[in-house]
Amino acid sequence: MSEIAVRLPDGKTLAVPVGSTVLEVAERIGTGLAKAALAGRVDGALVDLRTSLSGDAAIAIVTARDPEGGDVIRHSAEHVMADAVKRLFPSVQIDVGRSDHSEKFQYDFLVERPFTPEDLERIEAEMRRILKEKSVFERRVVSREEARSLFAGMGEELKLSRLDDIPDGDEITVFSHGGFVDLCRGPHVQRADQIGAFTLLESAGAYWRGDESNPMLQRIYGTAFADKGQLAEHLERIEEAKRRDHRVLGKQLGLFFLSPLVGNGLAMWMPKGTVLRRELAGFLEEQLVRRGYQPVMTPHIGHVDLYKTSGHYPFYADSQYPPMQVADDEHEQYLLKPMNCPHHIQIYAHEKRSYRDLPLRFAEFGTCYRYEKSGELTGLTRVRALTVDDAHIFCTPDQVEDEFRTTLELVQFVLGTFGFDDVRITLSVRDPKSEHYAGDPAQWDRAEAQLQRVLESLDLEYEREEGEAAFYGPKVDFKVRDVIGREWQLGTAQLDYVLPERFELEYVGSDNQTHRPVMIHRAPFGSFERFIGILIEHFAGDFPLWLAPVQAMVLPITERHVDYGRKVCEKLRAAGVRAELDARNEKLNFKIREAELQKVPIMLVVGDQEEANGTVTPRRRRGPKETEGAVGVDAFVATVTDQIAQRRP
């Protein structure tokens, strides 16, 4: 075969010689496109322009106008940064860059001392000089021996260690521009000047391979875009993200804190934060009752054999705490619970089940424990103790699609309640070539087809992600964009034929024979910790009325109005409104500012006129800040309780 067929996005087909590169295909389409090209997509996979084509394929050319174009620009800027560091600090050893280039780039370096702000300025200046050189990026496939010889000759000991991480049989590629060369999969731009605008953000220490017992490296973060306008917009989003940082707001609003004495990644919840958690739990419990879920509770630890049977122990051993050995029995070991599902399976297996009992829906706000590396912990969004809004549905094979459909509808309802309207849905399936997945391939095919039918029956647009499934089954994930455009992974639902098989679960069918049930795993929040961290940043701590830890603050104008203010506060509390009284001997404007800083939704001013007439004068954070005019206490209570009940975002 001397030629292959290349299918273009517009449906046209080109015949090109075998071995043609993606860039050569772009040149056949047009010189303007070829000049602007940054990368390509071959059968949906992002590839470097210098990738050779060996067979028929669907091809799209990626430019700066495509979302993936920014990733390629940042990845290439990453190499330019490493080049600049190497030029300025010749003795530096270079470790690795970042795998996710959706917002920024980074490299880790082994250097004699930490980088200073002045160093970053010098590195930026050197990067600008490199861009002016307009060096061409080149891709080369090498053997393991060639790569080892290359990096050994350069004295890059860290790179030699990373080379050992590449599995036997995998293609090894190096990229170079000018005199700089690095081990990398790519893709990269054609020329350095396509990088456009960039800036370095900060430097920080990072343990090599994330292990505290390893040497401390110096990490430099940066970002890059096609032009200065895009860069400026991104930097503004970064500043807005800093203003919304849940770690800062969590402390300011008295929601949670992290104590080194308690332990890294273990959140301590203050009274206001606990109110927030309970409100979320109450909201979800209300929905679960309506949908026929049954509450269960399970221990915080479990015998290691439980997780060996489920498969979690061998599959997730690196992220679990070490087993706890019982002193008087060397064969009895326990784990801090890494997952709730094996425990729920035991509740199912405790009794004989009939098809008439199914579906069974067990729900638990169960706390799980994961040993996340210290360098990866981030406030509430990456913790070591996480409370999952977990549920497991046990059903017959015929019930799967209906149950999964109602599960997705629940997740949609939950996210919509909090104003998450910009949602990207992914269907994660297995990689048939990977050994990471348990179970019968035929069952996997069936499960993936079922989820696809459910998504299509709901008219939901989704993206298929190969290789991202859980080890026991395919899943549907909901990825939301917050008010400043950041994407977060939240709700998930997973279909599982594997664990019922591993635990030999059964039910008696209408034919009086035993059959195997199917499991659905689902968590609309994901975990309370992560969800609350995201909510804090999404709302900038200014929660909707129904969710706010303090919903109303009563503000007496002077000390003589405190008693009346206390009566108003008590009436609000009796109606279920979370109200507080600011009885301090301070000026009213001071009290208003304090309540504003605490982001209390409603402030109720009370003075002589209000006390005489049995009224309050509301002032709301959302909407006009001016007072609304006096209103009777009972009428206000009726209005505010109705607003809370509506749970508007």
Side-chain angles (χ1 to χ4, degrees):
M1 181 175 65
S2 59
E3 288 191 335
I4 56 175
V6 172
R7 299 183 303 281
L8 303 179
D10 62 2
K12 294 180 181 178
T13 301
L14 287 179
V16 299
V18 174
S20 296
T21 66
V22 176
L23 181 57
E24 287 170 339
V25 172
E27 290 168 344
R28 284 281 305 274
I29 298 171
T31 54
L33 179 63
K35 185 177 180 180
L38 300 176
R41 278 202 171 275
V42 176
D43 293 331
L46 188 66
V47 301
D48 191 80
L49 287 167
R50 284 134 300 224
T51 301
S52 298
L53 304 172
S54 58
D56 296 350
I59 293 202
I61 305 302
V62 174
T63 70
R65 294 182 178 181
D66 299 301
E68 304 97 326
D71 291 25
V72 178
I73 287 172
R74 284 180 282 279
H75 192 177
S76 303
E78 194 172 71
H79 279 230
V80 170
M81 178 183 71
D83 182 12
V85 171
K86 193 72 174 178
R87 294 186 187 192
L88 295 172
F89 305 89
S91 63
V92 72
Q93 283 203 44
I94 302 172
D95 190 28
V96 291
R98 188 178 180 88
S99 59
D100 176 9
H101 297 93
S102 58
E103 290 191 349
K104 56 188 174 182
F105 61 79
Q106 70 187 51
Y107 250 113
D108 291 351
F109 303 95
L110 181 60
V111 286
E112 296 179 355
R113 60 169 177 79
F115 292 115
T116 65
E118 292 73 23
D119 290 331
L120 297 189
E121 291 178 5
R122 292 175 60 207
I123 294 167
E124 276 196 346
E126 190 66 27
M127 290 176 68
R128 284 190 284 272
R129 281 191 284 272
I130 294 171
L131 295 192
K132 289 179 180 178
E133 294 171 5
K134 300 183 180 180
S135 298
V136 174
F137 277 77
E138 296 181 356
R139 176 181 183 268
R140 185 159 59 100
V141 179
V142 297
S143 68
R144 191 174 299 271
E145 292 72 25
E146 287 176 306
R148 186 168 297 281
S149 175
L150 172 65
F151 291 108
M154 295 165 59
E156 295 285 359
E157 297 296 326
L158 300 183
K159 200 65 67 176
L160 291 174
S161 176
R162 296 293 184 176
L163 180 62
D164 293 337
D165 295 340
I166 301 176
D168 290 338
D170 280 16
E171 184 178 72
I172 298 174
T173 56
V174 294
F175 279 82
S176 60
H177 68 272
F180 180 81
V181 61
D182 198 10
L183 183 69
C184 185
R185 293 190 184 97
H188 288 289
V189 298
Q190 297 182 61
R191 308 171 308 279
D193 59 306
Q194 286 180 302
I195 290 171
F198 71 90
T199 188
L200 299 185
L201 300 171
E202 61 179 333
S203 64
Y207 290 108
W208 186 49
R209 293 184 178 271
D211 188 335
E212 297 94 319
S213 63
N214 285 335
M216 176 72 77
L217 307 184
Q218 293 299 306
R219 175 174 296 170
I220 299 178
Y221 294 96
T223 192
F225 289 85
D227 57 55
K228 292 180 179 179
Q230 292 179 20
L231 176 61
E233 289 177 6
H234 179 74
L235 294 178
E236 176 54 35
R237 285 197 298 271
I238 290 177
E239 290 305 310
E240 181 61 26
K242 289 178 180 178
R243 290 190 286 270
R244 293 171 177 266
D245 191 326
H246 74 278
R247 294 164 294 185
V248 176
L249 289 172
K251 181 178 180 181
Q252 175 187 323
L253 302 178
L255 301 176
F256 74 95
F257 67 95
L258 298 165
S259 166
L261 193 58
V262 173
N264 292 337
L266 304 174
M268 300 291 291
W269 293 92
M270 301 287 281
K272 290 180 181 178
T274 303
V275 168
L276 182 57
R277 280 184 63 129
R278 287 183 175 177
E279 194 66 35
L280 289 170
F283 158 71
L284 192 52
E285 283 174 345
E286 180 183 300
Q287 298 304 316
L288 298 182
V289 169
R290 292 178 179 179
R291 289 167 168 79
Y293 285 82
Q294 301 179 56
V296 296
M297 294 183 67
T298 59
H300 288 252
I301 64 172
H303 199 286
V304 70
D305 288 346
L306 175 68
Y307 309 112
K308 287 181 178 179
T309 302
S310 71
H312 289 100
Y313 186 69
F315 276 106
Y316 294 111
D318 291 344
S319 61
Q320 294 168 2
Y321 279 90
M324 296 175 283
Q325 180 70 54
V326 175
D328 58 355
D329 187 344
E330 64 180 16
H331 301 294
E332 193 168 5
Q333 292 181 318
Y334 290 83
L335 281 181
L336 282 171
K337 180 170 61 175
M339 297 281 188
N340 295 306
C341 41
H343 295 252
H344 291 188
I345 287 172
Q346 292 305 293
I347 294 176
Y348 177 93
H350 180 65
E351 299 177 13
K352 190 172 184 178
R353 307 292 181 178
S354 162
Y355 73 98
R356 294 186 180 90
D357 302 324
L358 304 183
L360 275 174
R361 308 180 186 97
F362 295 147
E364 176 184 18
F365 299 150
T367 302
C368 300
Y369 301 88
R370 314 276 172 80
Y371 183 70
E372 303 283 0
K373 294 177 180 178
S374 295
E376 297 175 347
L377 298 173
T378 311
L380 294 179
T381 55
R382 197 72 178 265
V383 292
R384 287 175 171 167
L386 58 155
T387 304
V388 184
D389 58 317
D390 225 343
H392 296 92
I393 302 169
F394 299 85
C395 61
T396 69
D398 291 342
Q399 294 169 336
V400 164
E401 293 188 28
D402 283 341
E403 287 299 310
F404 209 90
R405 186 177 297 107
T406 57
T407 295
L408 296 189
E409 288 171 343
L410 171 61
V411 176
Q412 288 181 292
F413 173 79
V414 168
L415 297 180
T417 299
F418 296 95
F420 291 120
D421 300 319
D422 188 353
V423 182
R424 183 168 67 91
I425 299 174
T426 59
L427 169 60
S428 296
V429 299
R430 81 192 189 288
D431 177 358
K433 296 175 287 186
S434 173
E435 298 179 357
H436 176 73
Y437 305 99
D440 180 1
Q443 285 183 330
W444 274 90
D445 292 341
R446 179 182 185 182
E448 291 171 5
Q450 286 176 311
L451 296 197
Q452 184 171 330
R453 283 197 296 272
V454 171
L455 288 165
E456 292 172 356
S457 73
L458 292 170
D459 292 326
L460 294 176
E461 294 185 5
Y462 65 92
E463 300 172 16
R464 190 178 176 93
E465 293 190 343
E466 186 173 293
E468 296 300 318
F471 80 87
Y472 46 76
K475 60 178 180 171
V476 173
D477 290 329
F478 290 75
K479 300 176 181 180
V480 305
R481 287 195 181 276
D482 64 16
V483 293
I484 59 173
R486 297 170 303 178
E487 188 172 81
W488 303 92
Q489 161 75 56
L490 286 179
T492 185
Q494 304 161 356
L495 182 57
D496 179 5
Y497 282 85
V498 171
L499 293 189
E501 191 74 37
R502 294 176 78 104
F503 282 96
E504 299 181 348
L505 299 184
E506 295 179 344
Y507 68 90
V508 177
S510 59
D511 57 0
N512 288 323
Q513 302 298 311
T514 57
H515 301 271
R516 192 79 74 212
V518 186
M519 283 182 68
I520 295 172
H521 309 240
R522 54 108 285 224
F525 292 161
S527 78
F528 279 87
E529 288 76 13
R530 179 176 171 79
F531 192 76
I532 290 174
I534 294 168
L535 274 186
I536 292 170
E537 299 197 0
H538 181 63
F539 291 116
D542 189 5
F543 299 110
L545 177 63
W546 72 272
L547 197 56
V550 178
Q551 294 167 322
M553 182 72 73
V554 181
L555 306 178
I557 294 177
T558 68
E559 280 190 284
R560 70 175 182 274
H561 304 120
V562 168
D563 287 342
Y564 176 66
R566 186 171 290 111
K567 292 176 183 178
V568 171
C569 193
E570 289 171 356
K571 184 164 283 193
L572 287 165
R573 289 174 177 172
V577 180
R578 293 187 291 275
E580 291 186 0
L581 173 70
D582 188 344
R584 294 176 295 174
N585 185 21
E586 299 286 354
K587 292 182 178 180
L588 179 61
N589 285 340
F590 175 84
K591 293 180 180 181
I592 289 173
R593 283 196 302 274
E594 288 287 292
E596 288 275 0
L597 288 173
Q598 288 299 303
K599 302 184 186 293
V600 179
I602 300 174
M603 289 150 274
L604 300 174
V605 177
V606 293
D608 289 336
Q609 185 175 355
E610 287 80 11
E611 185 171 3
N613 298 326
T615 61
V616 292
T617 300
R619 178 187 175 95
R620 297 177 183 264
R621 273 186 57 78
R622 290 173 178 247
K625 292 295 187 291
E626 297 81 12
T627 54
E628 302 173 9
V631 60
V633 175
D634 290 340
F636 175 78
V637 169
T639 298
V640 78
T641 52
D642 180 62
Q643 291 171 342
I644 291 169
Q646 292 178 30
R647 290 196 177 110
R648 290 180 179 172

